Amino acid sequence: MEVSVGTAALALALLLLPLLYERCGSFRFFCKMGFYNGWILLLALVAIPLCALRGRDVENMKIIRGLMQHVKRLYGIRMEVRGAHNFPPRQPYVVVSNHQSSLDLLGMMEVLPDRCVPIAKRELLYMGAVGVVCWLGGIIFIDRKRTHDAISTMAEAAHTMLSQDVRVWVFPEGTRNHSGSMLPFKRGAFHLAVQAQVPVVPIVISSYQHFYSKRERRFTQDVWGTGTCGAGG
Ligand SMILES: CCCCCCCCCCCCCCC(=O)SCCNC(=O)CCNC(=O)[C@H](O)C(C)(C)COP(=O)(O)OP(=O)(O)OC[C@H]1O[C@@H](n2cnc3c(N)ncnc32)[C@H](O)[C@@H]1OP(=O)(O)O
Ligand SMILES: CCCCCCCC/C=C\CCCCCCCC(=O)OC[C@@H](O)COP(=O)(O)O
């Protein structure tokens, strides 16, 4: 039997991959993040036909939330939610939350109230199936480079919150920040709350420095918390 050099090299590489995964933290980090993105992309492909039945509708966020629930278990992450009773039961509000990385999606989907949509950078719309799902879920897109347009979008959102009983989730830092402290807040979320005359509900997604660090390429398993800190008017 003849085995080409290429086939032998491929077989050797495949045999070495588990060893590399076991021994090399950086390789493990890239595998885990690659799988995270790939899996979400796959889930988005499942979500598209389900959400498309309704068209663009905030009720589709329930489908997205439901499909995302198991992802934490794939990573051995156990979440603790504290203070969920602080969400106002029957009125629109603006959620403000810290934003460390794309892993925050897991924390967000753990506590996302019904009829609540995030405000997201416009670029997410162009992430293939993920963008389509975001659009179908009624996610509000802003162009951060055009403040005037973003402000108009937020003003429309204030109107939608009241006319369609929608809650809005904003990351007021305006970008991912894994430094351990908070960036100065952008003001849009607070203008939105004032314009719609609704409460602001602060949420803290606890630091995941002890199990995840992009800089150190470290991603292990742990308990992780999301807490609402009470609703203020
Ligand atoms: C099944 C699997 C499927 C998977 C599906 C996955 C779903 C994923 C969804 C998750 C999405 C998460 C996405 C997260 C993000 O994209 S974070 C990035 C986007 N978010 C933000 O940028 C936060 C919101 N930004 C703001 O609120 C900003 O304030 C903004 C409106 C954009 C303006 O930005 P900027 O100019 O940089 O900052 P300032 O805050 O300083 O504002 C400038 C002046 O404008 C005044 N201002 C702001 N907003 C308003 C307003 N609404 N009305 C009136 N005036 C406003 C502000 O006061 C400043 O003026 P002064 O200095 O006060 O005079
Ligand atoms: C045809 C194009 C195909 C592109 C395919 C891309 C595949 C990507 C698949 C899944 C990505 C899942 C991640 C969902 C987004 C998580 C939200 C997020 O973290 O957005 C970043 C935003 O908060 C702030 O952005 P910046 O920190 O300012 O930057």
Side-chain angles (χ1 to χ4, degrees):
M1 189 177 69
E2 276 183 32
V3 180
S4 73
V5 177
T7 314
L10 186 68
L12 188 66
L14 285 176
L15 282 172
L16 284 177
L17 283 182
L19 196 68
L20 200 59
Y21 184 86
E22 199 57 41
R23 295 287 168 89
C24 175
S26 298
F27 182 70
R28 202 158 49 237
F29 176 86
F30 285 120
C31 286
K32 284 186 162 186
M33 288 316 286
F35 181 81
Y36 181 73
N37 289 332
W39 192 247
I40 288 177
L41 201 55
L42 203 73
L43 290 173
L45 288 171
V46 174
I48 287 174
L50 300 175
C51 294
L53 293 172
R54 279 200 193 96
R56 179 164 159 87
D57 191 321
V58 295
E59 285 293 323
N60 282 333
M61 286 310 293
K62 286 184 187 157
I63 296 176
I64 296 170
R65 186 181 63 193
L67 282 170
M68 288 290 297
Q69 288 293 313
H70 69 284
V71 179
K72 57 181 179 289
R73 281 189 280 279
L74 299 178
Y75 286 88
I77 292 171
R78 194 159 57 79
M79 291 204 200
E80 287 175 9
V81 178
R82 296 184 206 137
H85 58 277
N86 288 314
F87 284 117
R90 272 179 292 277
Q91 69 173 116
Y93 44 85
V94 177
V95 172
V96 291
S97 161
N98 59 322
H99 192 17
Q100 298 170 72
S101 83
S102 62
L103 285 190
D104 289 334
L105 261 189
L106 304 182
M108 174 193 253
M109 294 302 170
E110 191 72 9
V111 296
L112 191 79
D114 288 346
R115 300 192 65 74
C116 182
V117 288
I119 287 197
K121 62 176 182 181
R122 195 180 151 72
E123 290 82 346
L124 279 188
L125 249 183
Y126 307 112
M127 289 175 89
V130 171
V132 175
V133 169
C134 288
W135 185 83
L136 286 168
I139 287 176
I140 299 163
F141 295 100
I142 54 165
D143 186 341
R144 294 180 295 184
K145 292 188 205 86
R146 295 171 187 258
T147 302
H148 189 265
D149 291 355
I151 289 175
S152 303
T153 307
M154 304 282 267
E156 268 174 47
H159 178 73
T160 310
M161 286 177 82
L162 298 175
S163 61
Q164 294 176 34
D165 186 32
V166 170
R167 293 98 181 97
V168 173
W169 184 304
V170 186
F171 292 107
E173 291 168 283
T175 188
R176 288 166 288 183
N177 167 38
H178 192 42
S179 68
S181 62
M182 301 282 282
L183 298 175
F185 283 1
K186 306 274 183 192
R187 300 179 194 190
F190 309 99
H191 280 289
L192 179 60
V194 170
Q195 280 162 15
Q197 286 293 291
V198 296
V200 172
V201 179
I203 290 190
V204 176
I205 302 174
S206 66
S207 167
Y208 33 78
Q209 191 65 36
H210 52 293
F211 73 92
Y212 172 93
S213 166
K214 188 175 179 182
R215 193 168 40 84
E216 295 165 24
R217 293 173 187 161
R218 176 167 51 77
F219 192 172
T220 56
Q221 304 177 348
D222 219 321
V223 178
W224 185 27
T226 304
T228 71
C229 305

